[in-house]
Amino acid sequence: MAASMAVTVPAQAAAPLFQLPFPCGQTWRGDSDGSSAHESWEIDFNRGSGADDLGDPVVAAAAGTVRAAAHQGSANGYGNLVKIEHSGGYFTYYAHLNTMAVREGQSVAQGATIGSVGDTSRPGNNISPHLHYEVRLGTGYPGNIQPAYFDGVRFGYPDQTLTSRNCGGGVAGTASIYGATSDGRITYTAVNAATGDRTHGAVVSGASLGFVPKAMATLNFNTVLVTSSGGQLYRVDVITNNTSLTFNAPVPLGGGWTHDLLAYDGRGSLYGIADGALRRYTVSANKPGAGDITSDGLIDTGFTLKTLTATGADWLLGMTSGGELLSYRIRGAGDWSRYELRSSTWQVFRHLLSAGGGVYFGHNAEGGLLRYTDANPYDGSGADVRGPDTVDAQGWSQVLLSAQPGTVA
């Protein structure tokens, strides 16, 4: 069955979108052949005359989990070493640090400070201050060292001067993603928003809704709104954990809900689009009855969108069939602003969803789920949208997807 694919296909993440391991806007020169200790694609970074760099901050090139943060003693020449594990089995190494600001087992966001540039090494070794940086995948040193990429571009070996675009500020939280299959079953999946790793799921209900679902919006962890092709709105109360998902009989909330798209912003506003008309509703209860969802009226027409999600209170994100990525600030009837984040290429996605924090997930026709980060989702600019990272290359066969709003910061 299509729904079972969403459960059984394992995650196979691509390399994260690594950024330069220094704060946003700083310019550093990397050199890969200036040391006899180099075996492969390692890079030594400086931006001054050696001693000038001592104590400068070093930040995580991508989100991940710290697997080592200690002086290496006489084992090797790394001195104070921080090693971070990232999605897809990738590791980054940050060596010769003066100080270390993290501990083993700690989760770190992209751009988080992990230490400072130093000159530590094997006892008796005298080196000048610099950061030694590596990317590794798999085992078998030095063959497991990978060429370094920054902001999606391969480093210009043997040396290059780069300006850091490690500007995201980092995110934290779990994206709780509900879905519906073509036969009306409900799914739940959790994704670590900082790393893009799927932490569990998809968990699929054994029972079906009993109707063909048309549009979906998640109110909170245990409450989903779903419409039928006949225009009926239902509340679905979900009970789920890592291994099972059940739900109570869908509660009918009224007819006339012919919306093609629904999105809830987590702050009491439910948005719906039918035939290009955007309407806003106020939801006044966590488990709303028919009287707890009241219309705020028509916002405007001309919203010919293929997808719809909410990125924050009265902020919407949508995509056109032509591939435009659009952000909207909604104030009231006839009072809204439209921002073009991308002019094309996003038509590959069937769904877009956001759990907040400037993290966007795109679901493509191949069943893949991709992760993007927007350093400032409310600036009306797409210049700071980074990605994609691959959560799963395939397996997401749901016909509807919706994320719980406000769980990522």
Side-chain angles (χ1 to χ4, degrees), residues 21 58 65 70 85 95 98 148 159 232-233 347 356:
V58 175
T65 303
E85 182 178 6
N98 183 45
D159 56 74
Q232 180 67 243
L233 177 68
Q347 66 270 19

Side-chain angles (χ1 to χ4, degrees), residues 66-84 93-105 114 120-121:
V66 177
R67 296 306 183 197
H71 194 285
Q72 302 302 293
S74 298
N76 52 56
Y78 286 134
N80 285 331
L81 172 70
V82 168
K83 180 173 69 172
I84 301 176
Y93 283 59
Y94 311 78
H96 310 312
L97 298 175
N98 183 45
T99 60
M100 294 173 288
V102 292
R103 66 185 183 280
E104 185 175 346
I114 60 172
T120 58
S121 184

Side-chain angles (χ1 to χ4, degrees), residues 301-333:
T301 59
F303 288 82
T304 54
L305 298 176
K306 181 180 178 182
T307 66
L308 185 70
T309 189
T311 58
D314 294 315
W315 278 88
L316 303 177
L317 185 74
M319 181 199 74
T320 68
S321 57
E324 287 181 287
L325 180 65
L326 303 173
S327 178
Y328 297 91
R329 172 72 171 98
I330 309 298
R331 302 177 188 87

Side-chain angles (χ1 to χ4, degrees), residues 308-384:
L308 185 70
T309 189
T311 58
D314 294 315
W315 278 88
L316 303 177
L317 185 74
M319 181 199 74
T320 68
S321 57
E324 287 181 287
L325 180 65
L326 303 173
S327 178
Y328 297 91
R329 172 72 171 98
I330 309 298
R331 302 177 188 87
D335 186 7
W336 51 275
S337 300
R338 173 188 183 275
Y339 307 96
E340 184 182 83
L341 306 187
R342 289 285 191 274
S343 61
S344 62
T345 73
W346 284 64
Q347 66 270 19
V348 298
F349 294 119
R350 291 180 172 177
H351 304 101
L352 289 179
L353 46 152
S354 175
V359 177
Y360 311 146
F361 296 96
H363 174 222
N364 62 28
E366 290 73 39
L369 191 72
L370 306 181
R371 170 183 169 273
Y372 295 80
T373 58
D374 188 342
N376 185 351
Y378 312 126
D379 62 359
S381 171
D384 52 356

